[in-house]
Amino acid sequence: MDTHSLQAFLAVTEHGSFSAAAEALFLTQPAISKRIALLEEQLGARLFDRIGRQVHLTEAGRALLPRARGILRDMDDTVRAISNLSGDVSGTLRIGTSHHIGLHRLPPVLRRFSRQYPQVQLDIHFIDSEEAWEGVLHGDLELGVVTLPPEPDRRVKSAVIWDDPLVFMAAPEHPLAQEQQVTLAMLTHYSAILPSPVTFTRRIVENLFDEHRLTLNISMSTNYLETIYMMVSIGLGWSVLPATMLDGAVQALPVTTALPQRQLGSVMHPARSLSNAGRHFLDVLQAEARM
């Protein structure tokens, strides 16, 4: 059982087809098929059911999936541990981060790191924080710089880098912006524009309203905070966004109930050895946060 076959297996599982897996790994489709066939021969079991153009994991495939991820993660960890002995800060560093953090928090970190360690190739995936979280758990990403969840998750090692307070906000011409005080109950009478249900930020907001037994009136959802900001700024509804996004086009609402704290930070797999590049990136990240 070789790592190339396991990588092909994971790629087919993730992308749902042999052709998409081949494209992702820069291989031909016959090469992917050959690697899967070899793996099935070695294991003595079919790993995929091929139904039309789609493939689905068999029971054997589902049993192999977490083990394949673990084997490849251990291999990567071994390569990093040996490479770290040289003390060189080089190689590829795979990081996952949200679009918002990438736009508003990371640029000075990336600038400083790339100047200090030019031999490191940064492979940055701009995805939802929740996707980056899963990427770290599965070993696809070495580090994540993400919105931390409301409740701690012991499956990963996390560290707070920035406090990122959330604010109820609306356009200056919105009816709620004319009020001296706004209650949570008042908010439910107007359309809310919030991040999608799978996000940590949405969970924070929904938990607050659930605690007060109130039902949100959600008209639109999207994962991109900049898109939500735009829709709020033209008066389509109110939202909950980071305080750093307040400006003349939107204003904070005088809501009488405080929002829970939102924090941004780094996440890594607790059983994974960071590369020299990963350790120095965390150092730069924490140093920039203190400035």
Side-chain angles (χ1 to χ4, degrees):
M1 187 184 302
D2 64 272
T3 57
H4 294 306
S5 295
L6 291 176
Q7 287 170 345
F9 168 73
L10 291 182
V12 174
T13 302
E14 179 181 353
H15 296 282
S17 75
F18 281 59
S19 57
E23 184 177 347
L25 295 179
F26 302 102
L27 297 170
T28 63
Q29 185 170 333
I32 292 291
S33 298
K34 184 176 180 180
R35 292 182 181 186
I36 297 300
L38 176 62
L39 191 57
E40 289 178 331
E41 182 181 349
Q42 291 173 329
L43 294 173
R46 180 179 290 275
L47 299 174
F48 295 102
D49 286 326
R50 298 157 179 83
I51 304 173
R53 294 185 177 181
Q54 293 186 325
V55 296
H56 303 275
L57 285 171
T58 63
E59 184 177 355
R62 289 191 293 272
L64 175 62
L65 183 58
R67 293 170 174 82
R69 286 172 172 157
I71 290 169
L72 291 178
R73 185 171 60 242
D74 289 345
M75 285 296 297
D76 285 344
D77 198 45
T78 301
V79 170
R80 275 193 304 274
I82 294 173
S83 177
N84 284 350
L85 296 176
S86 69
D88 290 340
V89 184
S90 58
T92 300
L93 177 59
R94 295 195 300 276
I95 301 170
T97 191
S98 70
H99 294 84
H100 181 75
I101 294 173
L103 283 172
H104 298 279
R105 299 284 189 171
L106 276 188
V109 176
L110 298 175
R111 183 185 303 113
R112 179 176 173 183
F113 181 81
S114 61
R115 289 176 178 174
Q116 289 185 358
Y117 306 104
Q119 300 305 313
V120 177
Q121 179 181 348
L122 289 170
D123 181 13
I124 305 174
H125 299 252
F126 293 97
I127 50 182
D128 294 339
S129 288
E130 296 71 27
E131 289 183 72
W133 193 274
E134 291 298 324
V136 168
L137 276 175
H138 294 155
D140 301 324
L141 300 169
E142 185 170 346
L143 286 171
V145 184
V146 299
T147 300
L148 299 179
E151 305 85 19
D153 189 331
R154 294 182 180 178
R155 295 177 299 168
V156 300
K157 182 179 179 181
S158 61
V160 176
I161 304 297
W162 301 284
D163 288 324
D164 194 41
L166 295 169
V167 175
F168 291 99
M169 59 181 70
E173 64 271 17
H174 193 282
L176 289 170
Q178 318 308 316
E179 301 288 343
Q180 296 296 316
Q181 285 189 332
V182 176
T183 64
L184 294 182
M186 291 168 64
L187 288 168
T188 63
H189 297 299
Y190 295 89
S191 295
I193 305 170
L194 296 174
S196 68
V198 300
T199 62
F200 296 142
T201 301
R202 174 71 168 267
R203 193 188 307 171
I204 289 172
V205 178
E206 287 186 335
N207 287 348
L208 178 63
F209 279 78
D210 287 344
E211 288 172 6
H212 291 79
R213 299 185 178 182
L214 294 169
T215 301
L216 285 159
N217 177 16
I218 301 171
S219 60
M220 286 178 276
S221 295
T222 176
N223 289 7
Y224 299 103
L225 300 190
E226 285 68 27
T227 302
I228 295 175
Y229 163 85
M230 179 275 293
M231 290 191 287
V232 170
S233 70
I234 60 176
L236 297 184
W238 62 268
S239 189
V240 173
L241 292 171
T244 52
M245 301 185 78
L246 286 170
D247 60 15
V250 295
Q251 68 181 54
L253 296 175
V255 178
T256 54
T257 304
L259 280 159
Q261 182 77 348
R262 180 176 112 141
Q263 295 176 315
L264 312 178
S266 62
V267 292
M268 58 174 286
H269 199 289
R272 184 173 189 171
S273 298
L274 281 181
S275 63
N276 287 338
R279 289 190 291 106
H280 283 84
F281 184 86
L282 282 183
D283 290 341
V284 172
L285 186 65
Q286 292 164 351
E288 283 290 339
R290 292 192 294 266
M291 294 178 66

